Amino acid sequence: CVSVTAMEPQDYPRNDPGPNALLTMLPPERNMERLEWSLGKAVGYVGITSTTGSKFTANPDAVNPVVAAMKARGLMVLDARANPRSVAGSLAGQAGVPRAFADRVIDRDLSRGAIDDQLAELEAIAKANGAAVGIGAPYPSTIERINLWLTGLADRGIAIVPVSALANMQKQ
């Protein structure tokens, strides 16, 4: 499990990620206060991710202090790739911080068929590359489709592992 930290989207402020989101216009000290607040809201996580941070994660000056904070805490960065120009995963790798990349967000479309299609794509990616990372929210339809997909997964040669087991395994 990773802690989802709100980060600035490309269309901020029209799309507001909420209070205490990490913003490119804030000084690093203020973003670190917000990061501490976010991390204090959960337990048991192995790192952070953000599915909203398309503008923030594409800004190296904004991301570097976050990567340094993850390194100091011994945590990983899961780059959700909300923006194809995201530098979060690559900067984490350069800094020696464990990192992984999301291959699919499985529930951008909450229809059963769309989730099933994303899960099938994840399975194909895992077979082709040896691993795949999917991100999803705890929506009822997401949970239902994952539970169905899990049936027989081992028979198809796929194992579900914690994201931390995939740290540094994927190519950028």
Side-chain angles (χ1 to χ4, degrees):
C1 159
V2 291
S3 175
V4 177
T5 301
M7 297 179 192
E8 182 178 356
Q10 202 66 43
D11 55 353
Y12 178 80
R14 188 171 48 86
N15 179 3
D16 189 343
N20 292 309
L22 307 185
L23 304 173
T24 57
M25 68 182 91
L26 293 177
E29 305 78 35
R30 185 70 180 115
N31 275 329
M32 291 305 94
E33 290 170 7
R34 289 174 172 222
L35 178 64
E36 291 294 325
W37 178 88
S38 177
L39 293 175
K41 298 298 176 192
V43 296
Y45 50 82
V46 297
I48 64 164
T49 193
S50 179
T51 57
T52 62
S54 58
K55 184 173 182 182
F56 190 88
T57 61
N59 183 317
D61 291 334
V63 172
N64 270 320
V66 174
V67 168
M70 295 301 96
K71 184 172 187 164
R73 289 173 166 262
L75 297 173
M76 73 180 297
V77 172
L78 172 57
D79 189 341
R81 296 182 179 169
N83 180 339
R85 295 186 329 255
S86 175
V87 296
S90 61
L91 290 177
Q94 291 168 19
V97 174
R99 52 95 181 128
F101 300 93
D103 293 296
R104 292 289 180 274
V105 176
I106 63 170
D107 54 5
R108 280 198 175 117
D109 178 337
L110 291 174
S111 70
R112 290 178 171 154
I115 293 171
D116 291 346
D117 289 347
Q118 293 301 304
L119 291 170
E121 286 186 30
L122 267 180
E123 192 170 327
I125 292 166
K127 287 180 178 178
N129 299 337
V133 176
I135 295 177
Y139 300 123
S141 57
T142 305
I143 294 168
E144 172 199 349
R145 302 323 293 171
I146 289 173
N147 282 333
L148 184 62
W149 177 68
L150 288 171
T151 305
L153 199 58
D155 294 337
R156 297 191 305 272
I158 304 285
I160 301 296
V161 300
V163 70
S164 58
L166 301 179
N168 304 327
M169 286 185 62
Q170 299 163 294
K171 299 211 186 308
Q172 296 182 26

